[in-house]
Amino acid sequence: MYSMSQPDPVRLEIFKNLYQFIAEQMGIVLQNTAASVNIKERLDFSCAIFDSSGLLVANAPHIPVHLGSMSESVSSLINAEGNNIKPGNVYLSNNPYNGGTHLPDVTAITPIFDTENKQIIFYVASRGHQADIGGITPGSMPPHSSTILEEGIIFDNFLLVNKGDFQELEVRNFLLNHSYPSRNPDQNIADFKAQIAANNRGVQELLKMVNQYGLETVKLYMQFVQDNAEESVRRAIDVLKNGAFIYEMDNGAKIQVKVTIDRENRSAKIDFTGTSTQLNSNFNAPKAVTQAAVLYVFRTLVNDNIPLNAGCLQPLEIIIPEGCMLNPIYPAAVVAGNVETSQTIVDALYGALGVMAASQGTMNNFTFGNQKYQYYETICGGSGAGIDFDGTDAVHTHMTNSRLTDPEVLETRYPVQVESFSLRSHSGGKGKYVGGNGVIRRIKFLEPMTANILSSHRLIPPFGLHGGEEGKVGRNWIKRENGTEEYLDSTATAEMQSGDVFVIETPGGGGFGKSS
């Protein structure tokens, strides 16, 4: 017989899968009901469930950078609103200084009350990347923003549904009443409604679970699932060694990390002291993003099938000096911190632990649009080789996990053509195990639009490890209709005319070990 302090292993497995399954159900509802290509086609969203104190219990395998940071958003809501949270309320949050990642990633948070509507027993949340949330460029991923205010509209625990009543007028006014308003509030509102629907599915399923097993058991196993994740991470730490790494970025900033393993306590200290101070560019990563990157790396070192959750953080002490680029102070710009700097943090950590060469280290964020159209995509590349494996060609790596829009859908919804999309051969680093290849993506414009690229590793190559060679750097360029070629920096904005082709060549991953 298993006591209340000791989980039944069979029940633990059942509950672990049930929690994850609920988050997956939420994701299916969100995908099916969303309006934007971003959420519906590219699957740039994440859903998760949390305990009553806002700690992450389980998530679907969606976007890692969202998942490790969402609990900060839920905690900030609890701290700010606490006793004001009523049954039937839903809140919106995207504030990077309160658990958000960057402004396009907007989180809808729904509290779940007990049957008497007296106390909150759980929370569910869904985070979706909005196609446009205002800011100085269409698509809200400006390459050259210098403050958060230029990146779009900040929702800070905004009351989206008040006791069951959707606040359409209030949210529409909020989206439009801004120095850089949203370009498509109808689409924002449609996606917010889809997020509410996804959360409602989570509420229904969790209450069904409570009905079946009893509240005490459901809460108890939430704790056991977190404890199990904690123990799994401690086991992974047992085999790690101390290490340090410095990784420079194209903009000259550097990320410095030192990992110290405490054998006795089976814990690890991850210290980012020495990292560049906060930047005037938008490559600052909010603290929640840095934490998400660390959480992701340690979760990937675990072989067991566990949900990423708050338990994974217990054995980790993370030191991020305030005012450095990984823990910036308002109003620092952060739009690239979430998508680019997060990747550098991950690779630097793998470098410090000596387990894996650098992956492409960028999401190759490509946005284009005008007042009528706004589109955003991230583009795959090569992953790094490791201790006993080759890297993979043409995959999304590490902190992103989204799909590319099908060419048919892209060409139906937008005045562009996918001219070609191919592997970039020989771009992965050589070694005993070789790095994965990047890709070449060519998009032809059929009417004038503003295009933006926000990328990394156009100057600094992804590193190889233990004698493995580096991956090839990426390239961004435009072939104008008249045949002239224009080469662009890692971050650039360009005015595209009809017939112009935007070409993105993504980096390869680094190799691991000397070639024999």
Side-chain angles (χ1 to χ4, degrees):
M1 188 64 192
Y2 290 90
S3 69
M4 292 302 260
S5 62
Q6 196 63 35
D8 171 343
V10 175
R11 277 202 137 182
L12 180 67
E13 197 59 32
I14 289 168
F15 275 94
K16 193 171 74 176
N17 287 308
L18 268 174
Y19 298 135
Q20 279 185 276
F21 176 70
I22 291 172
E24 282 173 23
Q25 288 289 305
M26 291 168 67
I28 291 164
V29 171
L30 182 50
Q31 182 186 357
N32 289 343
T33 51
S36 67
V37 168
N38 241 9
I39 293 177
K40 199 171 203 61
E41 303 290 338
R42 288 189 48 254
L43 311 185
D44 195 344
F45 64 79
S46 297
C47 301
I49 60 177
F50 304 82
D51 65 18
S52 57
S53 56
L55 292 173
L56 178 64
V57 173
N59 53 266
H62 290 149
I63 310 274
V65 76
H66 293 173
L67 294 166
S69 53
M70 261 210 274
S71 129
E72 299 267 330
S73 297
V74 180
S75 303
S76 103
L77 171 66
I78 296 168
N79 294 338
E81 294 300 325
N83 302 330
N84 300 326
I85 301 175
K86 299 283 185 286
N89 285 7
V90 181
Y91 297 86
L92 272 191
S93 184
N94 68 347
N95 182 349
Y97 295 93
N98 247 344
T101 44
H102 60 181
L103 298 185
D105 285 339
V106 184
T107 308
I109 305 167
T110 304
I112 303 178
F113 281 77
D114 59 14
T115 42
E116 284 88 50
N117 276 340
K118 287 221 171 96
Q119 102 195 65
I120 295 170
I121 46 177
F122 317 116
Y123 290 87
V124 287
S126 52
R127 179 171 281 178
H129 186 115
Q130 301 292 314
D132 189 280
I133 201 77
I136 54 179
T137 58
S140 311
M141 297 283 295
H144 301 126
S145 52
S146 56
T147 76
I148 190 81
L149 303 169
E150 294 176 331
E151 296 179 348
I153 293 154
I154 299 177
F155 288 96
D156 208 353
N157 302 317
F158 180 93
L159 187 59
L160 180 66
V161 179
N162 187 3
K163 298 181 196 158
D165 184 24
F166 183 67
Q167 306 289 289
E168 179 152 357
L169 191 64
E170 290 79 353
V171 76
R172 189 179 290 278
N173 287 341
F174 198 77
L175 286 162
L176 293 172
N177 192 6
H178 192 271
S179 338
Y180 305 106
S182 164
R183 293 167 181 83
N184 192 345
D186 289 344
Q187 185 166 262
N188 296 131
I189 286 167
D191 282 346
F192 294 158
K193 284 181 174 170
Q195 287 176 260
I196 295 166
N199 286 5
N200 286 345
R201 171 59 62 86
V203 173
Q204 288 161 15
E205 295 295 330
L206 274 164
L207 289 177
K208 215 186 279 181
M209 223 172 146
V210 168
N211 207 17
Q212 188 172 348
Y213 297 100
L215 180 58
E216 281 320 297
T217 304
V218 174
K219 285 173 90 162
L220 190 66
Y221 274 85
M222 278 191 171
Q223 188 55 53
F224 286 151
V225 165
Q226 292 180 36
D227 294 346
N228 178 54
E230 176 183 339
E231 177 54 30
S232 300
V233 171
R234 288 195 193 278
R235 277 202 302 273
I237 287 171
D238 285 340
V239 299
L240 296 177
K241 297 186 182 72
N242 293 347
F245 205 83
I246 296 174
Y247 202 11
E248 196 177 322
M249 298 176 74
D250 286 356
N251 57 15
K254 65 168 186 185
I255 288 178
Q256 184 164 336
V257 65
K258 184 178 178 193
V259 180
T260 312
I261 305 298
D262 181 335
R263 290 265 166 260
E264 206 175 314
N265 292 320
R266 304 169 72 215
S267 63
K269 180 159 85 173
I270 297 99
D271 188 351
F272 289 99
T273 304
T275 293
S276 297
T277 53
Q278 157 172 342
L279 310 166
N280 292 327
S281 72
N282 55 24
F283 278 74
N284 301 294
K287 185 175 167 214
V289 166
T290 307
Q291 180 176 300
V294 174
L295 188 55
Y296 165 80
V297 166
F298 279 85
R299 167 62 190 88
T300 60
L301 299 174
V302 173
N303 285 325
D304 315 339
N305 178 22
I306 58 164
L308 180 85
N309 66 32
C312 301
L313 275 174
Q314 285 302 320
L316 308 176
E317 182 194 351
I318 307 173
I319 297 165
I320 323 168
E322 191 175 31
C324 82
M325 66 180 284
L326 304 183
N327 185 6
I329 298 160
Y330 178 89
V334 298
V335 74
N338 175 47
V339 286
E340 296 299 292
T341 307
S342 64
Q343 302 277 49
T344 312
I345 299 167
V346 167
D347 280 330
L349 268 168
Y350 283 132
L353 296 168
V355 295
M356 188 174 168
S359 291
Q360 67 158 338
T362 174
M363 296 191 200
N364 306 294
N365 305 272
F366 183 49
T367 47
F368 59 76
N370 50 30
Q371 281 308 114
K372 185 175 178 188
Y373 301 101
Q374 304 88 36
Y375 177 70
Y376 166 60
E377 67 179 24
T378 54
I379 304 167
C380 54
S383 74
I387 269 165
D388 55 2
F389 56 88
D390 292 327
T392 306
D393 299 339
V395 284
H396 278 293
T397 53
H398 301 322
M399 299 312 284
T400 178
N401 186 28
S402 56
R403 256 187 3 190
L404 255 180
T405 306
D406 290 338
E408 296 80 2
V409 174
L410 185 63
E411 293 175 358
T412 306
R413 297 276 295 258
Y414 299 94
V416 297
Q417 257 176 12
V418 180
E419 197 178 78
S420 65
F421 186 37
S422 58
L423 279 181
R424 187 180 175 213
S425 46
H426 309 301
S427 53
K430 294 192 182 77
K432 183 179 180 190
Y433 295 98
V434 296
N437 287 315
V439 298
I440 303 172
R441 188 161 172 82
R442 300 170 68 98
I443 303 275
K444 184 178 190 175
F445 284 75
L446 305 179
E447 66 175 67
M449 272 191 266
T450 304
N452 307 285
I453 183 77
L454 225 174
S455 62
S456 305
H457 294 290
R458 271 44 182 177
L459 295 173
I460 304 282
F463 62 81
L465 266 189
H466 303 298
E469 289 181 17
E470 0 182 88
K472 247 192 194 160
V473 292
R475 293 199 312 165
N476 309 321
W477 55 286
I478 296 168
K479 186 171 186 186
R480 296 288 181 190
E481 198 194 12
N482 64 9
T484 58
E485 293 179 0
E486 271 171 45
Y487 286 84
L488 304 171
D489 289 338
S490 309
T491 56
T493 296
E495 295 307 322
M496 305 298 288
Q497 303 305 322
S498 185
D500 292 346
V501 179
F502 202 111
V503 185
I504 299 158
E505 302 181 32
T506 70
F512 192 100
K514 284 200 171 79
S515 316
S516 47

